[in-house]
Amino acid sequence: MRKLIFSLIFVIFHAQIALCADSLSLSQAKKIALAKNPALVAAGYRLKAAQAGVKQAQGRFLPRVDVMLIYQRSDSPIQVFMAKLAQQDFKASDFEIDPLNHPSPRTNLKTAIEITQPLFNQGKEIIGLRKAKKHAYMAQLEKEALTQYVLYQVEAAYTNWILARERVKVLEKAEETARTNLSIVKARVQNGRALTSDLLQAKVNLAGVKRALLAAKNQEKVALSRLNLVLGLPTNTPWQPEALGFERKFNPGSLAPWQEKALLKRPDLALVKEKASLADLGVKEARFRFYPSVNVKGSYEYNAQGIGGVSGDAFSIMAEARLNLFSGFEDRARLAKARAQALAEQAKVREKKNQVLQEVEEAYLALKTSKAQVEVSLATVAQAKEALELVKKRYQNGLATIFDLLSAETALRQARLELLSARFRQYLAWTELRFRAGVLSEKE
């Protein structure tokens, strides 16, 4: 009696959890993942950092303004002499030998403003800005590629969750069939038309189905926790699924259009191309090292002996040009290195294109194969149903053994599970093909 009460409480508790759980469609799951997946959130921040890097690079074209405040007190002949000049307090008597060699300590408060306007520094500002823009675009491509991957993970996890639930339903139906067959065997044993060993085998078969059902329920919980992990939610978040359409028929058409789409839309391929373009910028940067640097500087300074003391101010403007004539062949080696790196990145682009084409072809053929497997599994299930009905009637009439009955029951259960797996593989192959073609998105 206690076991019955506890069982009822357990069933009611889980029924209440199921009622409280919100429904979750595949489209809703994608929206949640796009907003809360930790990897995507991190990619968004990396993109913002790269965009801030563009503004940082743009700032290098603007003048730099520095303010310096210096307090100095010294009896050094040189420092005192310079302080008097800066404070515009130099007199004829200061040329006397003894005051020059042994001056009294003097205080100088210096305030200086220095402005530097870069004009051309071996292309560092220009190349730096172009690189920053490239890095920002690459960060955007990385986020797009990660978005595609997360959407792929969501579809795979959601599909696996639905598959796990459908397996539970199949095994529940198998348990019901096993119980029905057990009743048939009991009736035959009671009528003296079957052996007790038949009854024991039927009970063992039912126990095996129960164990498989329990394992399937645990697999369903694991599948849901994996889905929540991809969504960026607590793994124990309860959901009720919506129909996914496992029975949908997919028609991918021919292979060539999918490969063309991939070459145009795969963000990871575009990212490799941008890396090659970035390497080309490295070659230009190395070439610019042979050019001069030109800057304009201006400064204003105010020197005072103290608050209310003698003071003087001055300004200066100058243009500075610097050309490196020889640096131990370092610049030539840098250029050679940049060219080699650019050629390596171009080779990676060619390799990535071939890889993309191969991945699309593999996914396309996998979808074709899975479609054929679904058709075969459908026929197998129909045959297994018919075979079980025939064997059941033969067993009732004493024309078949318990082994024949249980074998037919097992064959139907395995056929149904294989059909589920085949439909899962077909749906996942469709997802894989869209992912490899770079068109996997919420609207697809």
Side-chain angles (χ1 to χ4, degrees), residues 16 81 93 121 133 144 163 205 256 328 387 392 408:
Q16 288 178 343
F81 187 85
S93 58
N121 288 288
K133 289 181 177 179
E144 290 177 5
L163 174 66
N205 179 64
K392 189 183 295 184

Side-chain angles (χ1 to χ4, degrees), residues 270-301:
L271 182 60
V272 174
K273 291 180 180 178
E274 286 302 312
K275 287 182 178 179
S277 178
L278 188 64
D280 291 337
L281 277 179
V283 175
K284 292 182 180 179
E285 183 180 22
R287 285 175 179 166
F288 275 139
R289 289 299 183 105
F290 295 93
Y291 288 76
S293 296
V294 180
N295 296 291
V296 175
K297 293 183 178 180
S299 64
Y300 170 81
E301 64 179 60

